[in-house]
């Protein structure tokens, strides 16, 4: 305590006289002390602090050594990004009470990594780190929580009970993350199973459409996977906007799993899959997940290949569809930037510079003039419209205004056509329902007939005749002898009859069906034909649209779906700008060291 007091007094005197002990004549070029000049200082300061000359001399040397070391550490940090942190350890953990304890580390690592190092080096089992009165979060990086070079961090021991509470909070976070994924999946499962037979104003459903808003005729199984994939992707992107990259990554990886269930022809014809790959690697970057380097490289190559297939080698397909390529260029900027980063991490500076030059060229074209943005917004256009419009028209304000107005008109016309189409569909469903068919069957028949009422009526008549013939054979299929065989195996009568009905009287198949469903099946409905589809898996629970809980889930997931079809292209480029600056610094430093 007295030593700290002495040093504080001497530092104030040194500041007043603007004396820098780390420079000559107090420190020579080899960082050795200038004894004569230090002694003169000690003689002058001793009476001022009421201490002996030897005590003051020792304190001045201690201050000088600290200053020299601090200068060396600053140099190290500038050259390598390795910071030096002072650790204020528990008293009984200090090896030498008079010595200060330091830790060298990069600031872009997780706090948990530093906690593990400190615990191993000083034999501390459970600890937490305190900076400026705030506990550092173990699952966040040091620099994200205000830790800088030379920061002083207090190391506190944590009791077993408190440690268990921390673990409990971590588990709770993981549980919430898993629950979010499950709710997202169930919400989009409900939407994927809806066929539009209900009023869309009260019972929303999703359709997959092309750039012009025309519904795509996709097989049911693939459509379901695609809706789930796009749903998880939208949720992940919403979390990315909130900088919740860990949660976002979980949802994006779920989207990737669902996309894998879609055919390669479908994936190569839309850019959604390529954008997802970019978003996943962007999360890797944000989370400093360098262990995912190999996976990141593969995903970026996948994204680039997909963009080439969707847009064309010279983006000619994109020009044909949209008339310009300006908005999609932000995707290539992010692609090249991530490729540059991965090349640098791999030690390939030349490739990193090459990719970065492409990035800077794109960034120069895509960075927008604030005055032009303001002009367009003063005309009543939104910030998003102004940004996308200027990029589409290479910064021409007049052309952008015309472009945005045309887009608004096209969007309104598309909305009206969609409303008319849905109205005609609901009227057709009602007409078929009045003829005695269920609304669900009517909706499916209209889907298979591309909306033609007469054709849909023919499909329903054929189905009814088939169902009647099947019902006539049901009695034979579930003969008493076959039911008895299943009863002998321990199954309930109602479940046995249902299984035989569903399998056309095949005892072996009925047995397997009962085993797969733990012996529980609903009794057969006399008005419904046998189904050839498999029973729902445990991962895909029944989703009745009348459930209040289901409605809540649907509304919850719909909140994260952007109402603007080009939301994924609306990048402000702020994060990209920061990464570009960082990459330039790294590469300049690398070229300097090489020289």
């Amino acid at each position: 305590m007295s030593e700290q007091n002495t040093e504080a007094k001497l530092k104030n005197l040194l500041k007043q006289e603007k004396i820098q002990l780390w420079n000559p004549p107090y420190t020579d070029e080899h960082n050795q002390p200038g004894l004569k000049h230090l002694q003169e200082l000690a003689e002058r300061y001793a009476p001022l602090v009421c201490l002996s000359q030897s005590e003051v001399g020792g304190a001045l040397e201690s201050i000088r050594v600290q200053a020299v070391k601090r200068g060396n550490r600053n140099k190290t940090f500038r050259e390598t990004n390795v910071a030096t942190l002072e650790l204020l350890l528990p008293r009984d953990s200090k090896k030498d009470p008079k010595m200060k304890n330091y830790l060298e580390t990069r600031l872009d690592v997780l706090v948990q990594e530093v906690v593990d190092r400190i615990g191993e080096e000083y034999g501390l089992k459970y600890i937490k780190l305190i900076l400026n009165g705030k506990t550092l979060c173990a699952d966040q990086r040091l620099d994200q929580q205000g830790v800088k070079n030379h920061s002083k961090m207090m190391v506190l021991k944590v009791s077993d009970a408190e440690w268990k509470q921390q673990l409990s909070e971590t588990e709770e976070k993981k549980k919430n993350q898993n629950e979010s994924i499950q709710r997202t999946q169930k919400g989009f499962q409900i939407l994927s199973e809806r066929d539009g037979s209900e009023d869309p104003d009260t019972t929303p459903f999703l359709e997959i459409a092309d750039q012009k808003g025309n519904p795509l005729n996709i097989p049911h199984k693939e459509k379901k996977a695609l809706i789930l994939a796009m749903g998880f992707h939208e949720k992940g992107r919403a979390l990315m906007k909130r900088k919740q990259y860990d949660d976002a990554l979980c949802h994006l990886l779920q989207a990737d799993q669902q996309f894998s269930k879609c055919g390669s022809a479908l994936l190569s014809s839309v850019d959604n899959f390529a954008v997802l790959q970019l978003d996943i690697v962007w999360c890797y970057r944000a989370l400093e997940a360098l262990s995912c380097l190999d996976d990141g490289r593969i995903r970026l190559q996948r994204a680039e290949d997909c963009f080439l297939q969707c847009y064309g080698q010279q983006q000619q397909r994109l020009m044909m569809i949209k008339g310009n390529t300006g908005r999609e260029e932000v995707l290539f900027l992010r692609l090249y930037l991530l490729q540059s980063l991965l090349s640098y991490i791999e030690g390939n500076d030349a490739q990193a510079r090459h990719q970065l030059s492409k990035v800077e060229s794109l960034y120069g074209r895509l960075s927008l003039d604030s005055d032009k943005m303001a002009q367009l917004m003063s005309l009543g256009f939104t910030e998003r419209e102004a940004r996308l419009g200027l990029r589409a028209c290479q910064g021409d304000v007049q052309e952008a205004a015309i472009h945005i107005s045309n887009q608004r008109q096209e969007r309104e016309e598309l909305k009206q056509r969609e409303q008319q189409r849905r109205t005609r569909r609901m009227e057709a469903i009602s007409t078929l329902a009045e003829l005695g068919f269920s609304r669900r069957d009517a909706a499916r028949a209209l889907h298979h007939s591309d909306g033609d009422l007469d054709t849909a009526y023919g499909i329903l008549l054929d189905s009814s005749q088939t169902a009647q013939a099947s019902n006539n054979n049901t009695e034979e299929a579930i003969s008493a002898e076959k039911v008895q065989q299943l009863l002998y195996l321990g199954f309930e009568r109602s479940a046995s009859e249902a299984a035989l009905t569903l399998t056309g009287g095949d005892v072996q198949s009925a047995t397997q069906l009962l085993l797969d469903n733990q012996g529980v099946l609903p009794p057969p409905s006399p008005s419904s034909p046998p189904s050839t589809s498999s029973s729902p898996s445990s991962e895909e629970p029944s989703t009745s649209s009348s459930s209040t809980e289901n409605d809540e889930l649907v509304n919850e997931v719909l909140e994260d779906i952007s109402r603007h079809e080009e939301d994924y292209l609306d990048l402000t480029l702020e994060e990209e700008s920061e990464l570009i600056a960082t990459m330039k610094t790294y590469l300049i430093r690398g070229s300097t060291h090489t020289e």
Side-chain angles (χ1 to χ4, degrees), residues 195-223:
D195 52 18
S197 57
E198 307 284 343
D199 184 353
D201 291 332
T202 57
T203 310
F205 75 102
L206 296 180
E207 283 187 317
I208 309 295
D210 61 16
Q211 294 279 359
K212 301 297 183 182
N214 302 310
L216 297 176
N217 195 5
I218 303 172
H220 177 70
K221 186 176 181 181
E222 200 166 10
K223 177 184 175 183

Side-chain angles (χ1 to χ4, degrees), residues 377-564:
M377 292 171 67
S378 68
L379 297 174
F381 300 127
T382 66
E383 182 180 345
R384 173 193 286 157
E385 287 176 323
R387 189 159 36 240
L388 292 173
L390 284 170
R391 285 177 181 158
C393 301
Q394 289 75 49
D396 188 308
V397 176
Q398 188 173 356
E399 289 293 326
I402 295 171
H403 172 80
I404 298 169
S405 298
N406 290 340
Q407 274 212 321
R408 280 188 172 185
Q409 184 177 346
E410 289 174 8
R411 199 174 291 117
E412 184 60 33
E413 289 173 354
L414 176 62
K415 184 178 178 181
Q416 291 177 5
R417 288 199 305 270
E418 175 66 16
Q419 186 62 47
Q420 291 169 1
R421 189 177 66 81
R422 291 196 173 189
T423 300
R424 289 195 301 269
R425 177 184 172 86
M426 294 303 297
E427 289 173 352
I429 289 174
S430 298
T431 299
L432 293 171
E434 289 172 2
L435 295 174
F437 302 107
S438 73
R439 296 186 68 86
R440 190 175 186 85
D441 288 343
R444 288 177 176 172
L446 284 166
H447 173 74
H448 290 300
S449 67
D450 292 328
D452 185 85
L453 182 59
D454 292 337
T455 305
Y457 179 64
I459 292 172
L460 289 168
L461 281 179
D462 291 341
S463 298
S464 297
Q465 291 169 1
T466 302
Q468 186 62 45
S470 177
N471 285 337
N472 292 337
N473 296 328
T474 298
E475 189 173 337
E476 179 183 345
I478 55 173
S479 64
E481 182 182 352
K482 292 177 180 179
V483 172
Q484 195 61 39
Q485 289 181 52
L486 294 176
L487 292 176
Y488 180 75
L489 294 174
F491 299 114
E492 297 290 335
R493 176 177 292 277
S494 60
S496 300
E497 291 176 349
L500 287 168
T501 300
L502 290 169
T503 58
D506 187 314
V507 176
Q508 186 173 354
S509 298
T511 303
Q512 188 61 51
L513 182 61
L514 288 164
L515 289 171
D516 290 343
N517 290 274
Q518 291 80 47
V520 179
L521 285 176
S525 170
S527 60
S528 301
S531 172
T532 57
S533 62
S534 60
S535 59
S537 70
S538 58
E539 295 180 351
E540 299 183 4
S542 174
T543 53
S544 169
S545 61
S546 61
S547 166
T548 303
E549 180 188 355
N550 287 349
D551 289 341
E552 290 175 358
L553 282 171
V554 167
N555 292 332
E556 183 180 307
V557 297
L558 287 177
E559 286 178 3
D560 291 313
I561 296 181
S562 173
R563 296 298 183 265
H564 196 287

Side-chain angles (χ1 to χ4, degrees), residues 112 115-116 125-128 138 157-170:
Q112 185 61 54
V115 167
D116 293 341
K125 191 174 182 182
Y126 304 134
I127 60 173
K128 60 182 177 181
K157 288 183 178 179
V158 179
S159 65
D160 287 0
E162 190 174 353
W163 180 255
K164 289 176 181 176
Q165 182 180 351
Q166 286 184 7
L167 288 179
S168 175
E169 290 173 354
T170 302

Side-chain angles (χ1 to χ4, degrees), residues 173-186:
K173 180 180 178 181
K174 187 174 181 181
K175 178 184 174 184
N176 291 339
Q177 198 174 69
N178 291 336
E179 183 179 340
S180 173
I181 290 173
Q182 289 170 7
R183 289 180 68 83
T184 300
Q185 178 159 348
K186 187 172 181 182

Side-chain angles (χ1 to χ4, degrees), residues 282-345:
W282 194 256
C283 283
Y284 287 166
R285 173 209 62 84
L287 297 170
E288 293 288 333
L290 300 184
S291 59
C292 300
L293 180 63
D294 289 340
D295 185 57
R297 190 190 310 107
I298 293 169
R299 289 186 184 280
L300 291 182
Q301 187 59 56
R302 200 180 289 159
E304 187 168 20
D305 293 343
C306 188
F307 281 140
L308 289 175
Q309 289 179 316
C310 292
Y311 299 158
Q313 193 72 34
Q314 302 298 324
Q315 301 185 28
Q316 63 270 21
R317 280 194 62 199
L318 192 60
M319 283 292 295
M320 289 174 61
I321 296 171
K322 290 191 172 183
N324 61 77
T325 62
R327 290 159 295 183
E328 278 71 17
E329 284 187 329
V330 294
L331 301 176
F332 288 94
L333 184 149
R334 183 170 278 192
L335 171 66
Y336 298 150
L337 183 54
L338 289 170
Q339 287 176 336
S340 176
L341 176 62
L342 290 188
S343 295
Y344 177 77
I345 292 171

Side-chain angles (χ1 to χ4, degrees), residues 4 109 125 146 156 179 225 267 277 289 320 368 396 580:
Q4 292 173 334
V109 301
K125 191 174 182 182
L156 292 185
E179 183 179 340
L267 295 185
Q277 305 309 307
M320 289 174 61
L368 302 174
D396 188 308
I580 289 170

